[in-house]
Amino acid sequence: MALDLVASLPRIEFVGRVHSELVHHGTCCDAAQTWLRAMHRSWSFRASSKSSGRVPVWLKHHYHWGAVQWPISWCEAVRSRAIDCGVFAAFARYIMQHEYHAAFPAQILLQQPKTYTKQWQQKWADVRQMSNWIGGDHVYHEVCAVQEEEHGEVRIYDPTEGWWIAPEFSEGINGLQGICVMSDEILNWGSQQVGQGQWLLASKL
Amino acid sequence: MSLKIMISGFYSGPSPSAGLGIARSLRQAFPDAHITGIDYWEGSSGLAHEVLDERLVFPSWQFIDQAEHVAFIKKNLDDGAYYLSALDMEVEWLAGKLNHHRLLTPQKSSLAFANKPDVKVGELLPFAQPEIYQDGLDDQKLYDFCRRHSWRVWVKGAFHGATFATSWAQLERARLSYGFKDDPHGVSYQSHVRGTEESICFSSYQGELLDAVMMEKRVTTPEGKTWSGSVRGLDADKMAVLAKAVRAMNWTGGGELELLRDEDDRLWLMEFNPRFPAWIHGSSLAGHNLPAALVGAASRLQPRVQGGVQYAQEFTRVVLEIPVPTQIGLPRVMLPAHGQVVNASKYGRTFAPLEEVVRAKSRTEPAKVDAPVLCSSFVREVSQVVQANAATPERVLLKETLDNRLSFAARQATLTSANAKLTMAYSIKTCPEQNYLDRAFRNGLLAEAISMAEVDAALATGWEPSQIILNGPAKWWPKSMEDNQGLRAVFCDSVEEFERLVHSSRRDQLWGLRLKLPSFHSRFGIDVSDLKTFARLRSLITSIPDEVDFGIHVHLASNLIGNGHWQDAVQSAAEWAEALVAGTHKNVAVFDMGGGYHPRDFETLAWQNVLSYIAERLPTVREVVAEPGRAISQDTMILRTTILDIRRTGDVIDEIVVDTCISDLPLIRVYPHRFMLMQAGAVSSVATGSVRVLGRVCMEDDIISEGLALPQDLQIGDQLIIADAGAYERSMSYGFGFGRIAAAH
């Protein structure tokens, strides 16, 4: 039923699509992945901040958000100045999973004004990339679901923006309108449940 | 009779008081109330807002007759007015002066839970608290605190002001600006917590919690003040805990708990402000009118609830121009003083006299000056080696301390883990005196050199080439890459140098790279975050001859960056080591952690754990190297100096001049030194205090100490002993002010 609701949104063709996967060539992409891990360790400051250092906040500061040519490989993506949310999420997920944190792909629907989406559509068209992630005043956005070890709950981290997304739907620019977590199990997200690729949508949708 | 409310604190500049927000909230709930705004400067722009019925501007606190002012407030309270203060210091002041059921501020016993720096309310709440150091008179303990917290420390004033310090020099400047000399106990130091800012704001009357909200700061000013925020009601669990805490404190008034939420979702209590915050009207816009709840509880009047109002969970500030009532007017503009670029607001100065009053009230006894307790064996050795009649300034070696340090290093060099062993290499540059080199050699340490000149010194001392590690950005100077071959290890400082080495005919046991880690500032090493460099290095590593091993070097002085950062750097370097050799035929055989350890850290660092970590992370490593130099030699020398002049303000000594200077102690302001006083042959420890110690040369920056606690019976000719005068204080010292140019070599 949830997917039916999403399908009713204009031109959101991405919804229901699996998460972005980067191409792995072999040795060159192995090196790119080791570079990512080493970069993360350098920026996580676990001992000095006495924290887990699991979330790769540094990605937001190292890369710009922008269109990439899909399909893209690990060795190409790490060298890019601009990466899209699919690459951000793939990087973040790889880093967290490598350090034994349970991290799952997740998609969210964000409300965005048409003054934004029209400009983005043009920018993506300029580099001959599909803008089917944009649907009028909503966009598809790829993020990470991070499972809390202690509480068995999941939190949503947006590596493109470097912020956590609170477990509540909201309106306005960047307002959260829907979420889909690609986990095998159903997980607690605030007072709601997500997982198994099922969309959870704001009631007004 | 209409409801009368008096509110003080209407400054509405970049760091605003809450008065205007309180007034707007109360006007919303009590439209017919008579609201009077009070402040102590006519430039407090909130007074101009139309929400007020009446405005009272009092003079600066310097000219406030306290008894008169108390009588004024009491008369208004007796006449039926309610008084709310948005000023921290006025709240403190009122607590000791008045107790009235219409005074809506916390009483003295309640404020005891809010006093900085060690906020007692933290014991009642389920939040983590950052570590605080308050005993401001022992700089060695303070320096340990700063290193323990990786030099991410806030220096905090008694009532307001906080400065982030990342070095000893910054910390000294900051604490002086907070009146450290006059009241050392008024300055405190708090460890930094990385997180996003939130606040809990509550309203309480006579110990009963009325309402509370949680606010997440979404936009802040450059000074960190709230500009926009998201407000929500407090969840039931937190509400219950807060209600219990408020009851325990018997709190009346507003209160704000400033929190940080860290990456792992833990909440840290940073501050407790005994009043409503400046963003309080944002809470009212969200449907939680806390000032109205307070006045309603005290007056038993029902606040008006507007029907059909759409509450907003999020609020923001705007900049508006409003007319200034003619009965107040604006302050005139003071001519700028020489060198003053911006004529800043005088608001802060208005409260300086009140701060003095409140500070004096909070002092139960004069500041106690306890001299730091020095290690008895250290004092004994100092007493044995100093000769009062010898010429000064005189640097004296503490042989016993040096031997202890070297034997400690030698003992650590026996540690092993899996295939790896820990090795200690004496850093020649830190103190190249021959007796140091001889002792290091005899204790079985390797030698670490940064130039061919130092390699020659090591060879002359007796070390074999296979016992010498060569580092540094200009390591071949004053010879060439062809000389002194067969060394134990050579670590390159640039890709270009590594490329030349790989393509040379030179042979050593091991070649390696000094890493410049992405998140650490250093002028040294190779920036591995650059992907082109990373790829080039991996290619060059495959070109290293088979008979030459490969190693990694990282050097970030824990003394300067702190212990946590050092640990992060070492672990990060291990990750880079693995990344660099992955997929190549080379392994990492040696992992060199460099030097720069503080002597106390060197003796307390868990070397076995560090070794085990590297051995597990990099199983091919056979040797983990530490290069202590400062750790071995810094506290093995003292410098004895004679007092040449004593200067007084009135009868009190405020400055002395000594016969040493910055050329004898070039790092005197970089880290805190221990001071001792020698009077009549007896040596005693000296605490931090108010007497400035000036050096002998005519240089503005020749200041040996910003303040020592020296006795008033001090005499010209008495002597100070400055400890921790070895290592770079020795090797980098230079001749100056002798009437001749000292030789370059």
Side-chain angles (χ1 to χ4, degrees):
Chain A
M1 181 186 288
L3 282 171
D4 289 340
L5 279 169
V6 175
S8 69
L9 285 168
R11 292 161 55 198
I12 296 280
E13 297 161 23
F14 254 70
V15 174
R17 198 189 101 152
V18 292
H19 57 274
S20 303
E21 290 279 8
L22 308 189
V23 175
H24 195 290
H25 290 139
T27 315
C28 55
C29 290
D30 281 341
Q33 289 180 332
T34 60
W35 179 87
L36 269 177
R37 296 198 311 255
M39 281 293 280
H40 177 63
R41 186 61 193 87
S42 285
W43 283 105
S44 52
F45 295 106
R46 282 172 211 158
S48 52
S49 67
K50 298 177 183 71
S51 67
S52 64
R54 61 186 168 164
V55 181
V57 182
W58 65 274
L59 288 173
K60 159 78 179 163
H61 301 286
H62 194 81
Y63 293 103
H64 300 297
W65 175 67
V68 297
Q69 198 81 37
W70 284 92
I72 189 168
S73 64
W74 288 92
C75 64
E76 291 164 339
V78 293
R79 286 199 304 267
S80 304
R81 291 287 296 148
I83 55 176
D84 67 15
C85 64
V87 179
F88 268 111
F91 281 179
R93 214 167 50 240
Y94 170 76
I95 288 165
M96 287 190 276
Q97 286 173 346
H98 185 266
E99 301 205 351
Y100 311 107
H101 297 298
F104 309 105
Q107 304 168 7
I108 55 175
L109 271 179
L110 294 177
Q111 190 177 332
Q112 300 290 8
K114 286 182 179 162
T115 46
Y116 280 33
T117 56
K118 205 170 170 190
Q119 296 286 344
W120 289 338
Q121 266 169 338
Q122 190 58 48
K123 284 281 179 196
W124 257 248
D126 288 347
V127 289
R128 295 183 186 150
Q129 284 299 298
M130 286 194 299
S131 56
N132 57 354
W133 53 278
I134 301 170
D137 57 358
H138 284 79
V139 298
Y140 159 87
H141 186 56
E142 217 171 313
V143 293
C144 289
V146 187
Q147 192 168 354
E148 294 288 339
E149 286 172 15
E150 286 181 18
H151 314 296
E153 291 186 352
V154 74
R155 295 176 77 199
I156 305 298
Y157 179 69
D158 183 347
T160 309
E161 301 289 356
W163 58 40
W164 291 102
I165 294 174
E168 55 194 26
F169 293 114
S170 57
E171 294 187 40
I173 296 172
N174 281 318
L176 183 68
Q177 296 286 294
I179 181 166
C180 173
V181 175
M182 313 293 278
S183 60
D184 291 339
E185 296 175 356
I186 296 291
L187 301 163
N188 292 322
W189 181 57
S191 60
Q192 307 178 87
Q193 291 194 316
V194 291
Q196 294 183 339
Q198 291 296 308
W199 276 91
L200 181 68
L201 298 169
S203 57
K204 66 167 282 192
L205 286 173
Chain B
M1 192 177 78
S2 71
L3 178 64
K4 286 181 68 177
I5 303 166
M6 304 177 88
I7 306 163
S8 65
F10 275 80
Y11 181 71
S12 295
S15 179
S17 297
L20 181 57
I22 295 170
R24 292 179 70 205
S25 297
L26 291 175
R27 175 64 72 213
Q28 194 179 69
F30 303 104
D32 302 324
H34 182 88
I35 302 178
T36 303
I38 294 173
D39 208 284
Y40 301 88
W41 183 43
E42 69 272 28
S44 293
S45 56
L47 286 173
H49 198 277
E50 62 188 7
V51 74
L52 297 176
D53 298 297
E54 187 184 3
R55 297 150 183 97
L56 294 176
V57 183
F58 287 91
S60 157
W61 276 87
Q62 186 183 352
F63 300 103
I64 294 269
D65 181 294
Q66 291 185 48
E68 167 76 23
H69 202 46
V70 169
F72 163 79
I73 295 170
K74 184 169 186 309
K75 181 172 187 318
N76 279 281
L77 293 170
D78 290 342
D79 289 349
Y82 292 87
Y83 194 96
L84 293 89
S85 176
L87 302 165
D88 289 356
M89 274 181 282
E90 193 186 55
V91 168
E92 277 280 343
W93 175 76
L94 282 166
K97 302 282 184 189
L98 273 172
N99 188 355
H100 198 289
H101 68 283
R102 280 192 281 273
L103 177 63
L104 303 183
T105 56
Q107 281 301 297
K108 198 172 180 180
S109 57
S110 306
L111 284 177
F113 288 86
N115 287 343
K116 292 176 189 174
D118 203 3
V119 183
K120 256 176 68 183
V121 72
E123 296 166 13
L124 308 173
L125 297 168
F127 305 128
Q129 283 185 274
E131 194 183 343
I132 287 163
Y133 180 80
Q134 198 185 1
D135 182 13
L137 298 172
D138 188 340
D139 281 351
Q140 296 302 314
K141 283 185 185 166
L142 174 57
Y143 197 58
D144 290 348
F145 173 86
C146 293
R147 294 196 315 282
R148 193 162 65 250
H149 293 287
S150 298
W151 270 111
R152 302 181 73 72
V153 171
W154 289 93
V155 184
K156 302 182 97 168
F159 291 99
H160 49 74
T163 303
F164 193 52
T166 59
S167 70
W168 183 252
Q170 284 178 357
L171 181 144
E172 273 214 297
R173 273 198 300 277
R175 71 178 182 182
L176 285 172
S177 74
Y178 292 129
F180 176 77
K181 276 197 175 185
D182 295 332
D183 182 12
H185 293 289
V187 179
S188 60
Y189 311 87
Q190 189 182 64
S191 64
H192 174 69
V193 176
R194 187 160 50 120
T196 53
E197 293 177 89
E198 298 186 18
S199 277
I200 289 175
C201 179
F202 66 88
S203 181
S204 169
Y205 186 64
Q206 295 182 347
E208 186 195 345
L209 181 65
L210 305 168
D211 197 2
V213 294
M214 190 95 171
M215 189 276 288
E216 181 188 29
K217 289 188 188 182
R218 291 290 183 86
V219 181
T220 56
T221 66
E223 296 81 20
K225 303 295 175 187
T226 304
W227 191 259
S228 304
S230 176
V231 176
R232 62 182 188 276
L234 213 55
D235 63 52
D237 289 348
K238 286 197 182 71
M239 200 66 142
V241 173
L242 184 60
K244 205 172 162 190
V246 161
R247 202 172 305 124
M249 296 188 290
N250 191 29
W251 195 268
T252 288
E256 183 194 25
L257 300 160
E258 291 189 39
L259 306 168
L260 280 173
R261 188 182 293 276
D262 72 12
E263 174 191 338
D264 298 320
D265 214 24
R266 279 175 302 193
L267 282 170
W268 295 75
L269 176 63
M270 307 305 288
E271 296 261 354
F272 179 23
N273 299 317
R275 44 144 180 91
F276 289 122
W279 53 267
I280 187 65
H281 194 59
S283 170
S284 304
L285 295 173
H288 294 270
N289 192 330
L290 306 186
L294 176 60
V295 173
S299 66
R300 296 172 191 264
L301 293 172
Q302 191 64 36
R304 187 183 73 163
V305 179
Q306 285 176 287
V309 172
Q310 181 71 44
Y311 291 117
Q313 193 186 343
E314 296 177 348
F315 70 87
T316 190
R317 288 181 175 154
V318 294
V319 177
L320 287 175
E321 286 74 34
I322 58 173
V324 175
T326 51
Q327 68 266 36
I328 298 178
L330 292 176
R332 290 193 175 81
V333 183
M334 189 169 59
L335 290 172
H338 179 71
Q340 194 177 6
V341 179
V342 178
N343 205 359
S345 136
K346 61 166 252 183
Y347 191 67
R349 281 189 284 154
T350 304
F351 288 94
L354 179 59
E355 185 171 335
E356 270 309 302
V357 171
V358 174
R359 271 192 192 217
K361 200 177 71 170
S362 65
R363 277 189 206 129
T364 50
E365 56 186 57
K368 207 171 142 199
V369 180
D370 287 329
V373 178
L374 297 178
C375 170
S376 57
S377 61
F378 177 74
V379 175
R380 179 175 43 78
E381 188 180 8
V382 169
S383 303
Q384 283 169 357
V385 297
V386 292
Q387 295 174 4
N389 297 330
T392 58
E394 182 198 29
R395 202 182 304 262
V396 185
L397 171 67
L398 303 176
K399 284 182 192 163
E400 191 181 318
T401 303
L402 175 59
D403 288 338
N404 286 341
R405 291 258 177 272
L406 284 166
S407 62
F408 176 82
R411 282 199 303 279
Q412 304 316 300
T414 61
L415 297 176
T416 60
S417 177
N419 297 323
K421 69 183 285 286
L422 186 64
T423 303
M424 294 279 167
Y426 179 70
S427 169
I428 295 170
K429 63 181 175 294
T430 45
C431 194
E433 288 199 4
Q434 194 57 51
N435 60 350
Y436 278 69
L437 301 186
D438 291 340
R439 282 179 150 83
F441 178 68
R442 282 204 303 272
N443 274 277
L445 273 62
L446 304 180
E448 188 254 341
I450 59 159
S451 68
M452 283 296 186
E454 286 193 354
V455 170
D456 287 342
L459 292 169
T461 301
W463 275 294
E464 296 292 329
S466 62
Q467 295 175 305
I468 299 170
I469 295 167
L470 183 59
N471 266 311
K475 58 179 66 66
W476 313 112
W477 178 86
K479 293 183 170 178
S480 75
M481 193 183 272
E482 301 305 312
D483 299 305
N484 292 339
Q485 298 198 24
L487 299 181
R488 189 183 193 90
V490 174
F491 291 102
C492 294
D493 201 56
S494 69
V495 192
E496 290 76 9
E497 184 186 34
F498 189 44
E499 194 160 29
R500 283 198 300 276
L501 184 61
V502 165
H503 295 135
S504 74
S505 59
R506 182 186 174 87
R507 289 294 179 269
D508 299 285
Q509 291 185 1
L510 179 141
W511 294 340
L513 305 169
R514 177 167 177 170
L515 303 184
K516 180 187 172 109
L517 299 171
S519 53
F520 295 84
H521 296 290
S522 174
R523 60 159 276 203
F524 299 105
I526 302 168
D527 180 6
V528 278
S529 71
D530 181 78
L531 274 156
K532 282 185 184 159
T533 302
F534 181 71
R536 200 168 152 200
L537 287 174
R538 283 171 53 80
S539 166
L540 286 168
I541 288 167
T542 61
S543 302
I544 296 174
D546 290 343
E547 69 272 23
V548 179
D549 285 331
F550 176 69
I552 287 291
H553 178 101
V554 62
H555 170 102
L556 286 155
S558 71
N559 186 53
L560 298 177
I561 65 171
N563 304 339
H565 271 159
W566 180 82
Q567 199 179 320
D568 279 327
V570 167
Q571 294 183 5
S572 170
E575 190 82 41
W576 281 108
E578 190 184 27
L580 282 163
V581 297
T584 71
H585 72 279
K586 278 290 180 189
N587 292 320
V588 182
V590 170
F591 187 90
D592 189 329
M593 304 180 292
Y597 313 98
H598 189 278
R600 284 194 291 280
D601 295 342
F602 185 65
E603 295 210 330
T604 54
L605 207 152
W607 291 105
Q608 183 65 58
N609 292 351
V610 175
L611 178 64
S612 300
Y613 178 87
I614 303 297
E616 190 180 332
R617 199 76 189 74
L618 301 166
T620 59
V621 165
R622 63 164 189 267
E623 188 171 63
V624 176
V625 183
E627 297 169 349
R630 179 198 296 272
I632 285 173
S633 57
Q634 183 168 287
D635 59 1
T636 60
M637 284 182 173
I638 55 170
L639 192 137
R640 197 166 54 81
T641 183
T642 301
I643 296 169
L644 303 177
D645 192 16
I646 297 174
R647 300 164 178 184
R648 292 178 168 83
T649 298
D651 293 333
V652 179
I653 298 175
D654 62 357
E655 281 182 349
I656 62 170
V657 179
V658 293
D659 66 0
T660 189
C661 67
I662 49 166
S663 68
D664 296 331
L665 299 162
L667 301 182
I668 190 70
R669 306 302 297 278
V670 174
Y671 62 91
H673 294 58
R674 290 169 291 174
F675 286 84
M676 286 160 278
L677 178 64
M678 200 158 84
Q679 280 181 308
V683 173
S684 58
S685 169
V686 177
T688 305
S690 60
V691 180
R692 204 149 78 130
V693 182
L694 307 175
R696 71 166 190 269
V697 295
C698 297
M699 304 289 282
E700 285 291 357
D701 58 350
D702 188 19
I703 297 167
I704 303 300
S705 169
E706 277 297 344
L708 294 180
L710 293 170
Q712 290 301 313
D713 64 352
L714 201 66
Q715 301 289 320
I716 288 175
D718 286 345
Q719 293 184 351
L720 283 179
I721 294 168
I722 305 172
D724 313 305
Y728 296 104
E729 290 287 50
R730 172 70 189 95
S731 60
M732 289 168 59
S733 62
Y734 53 98
F736 186 73
F738 289 103
R740 62 179 187 277
I741 299 292
H745 299 288

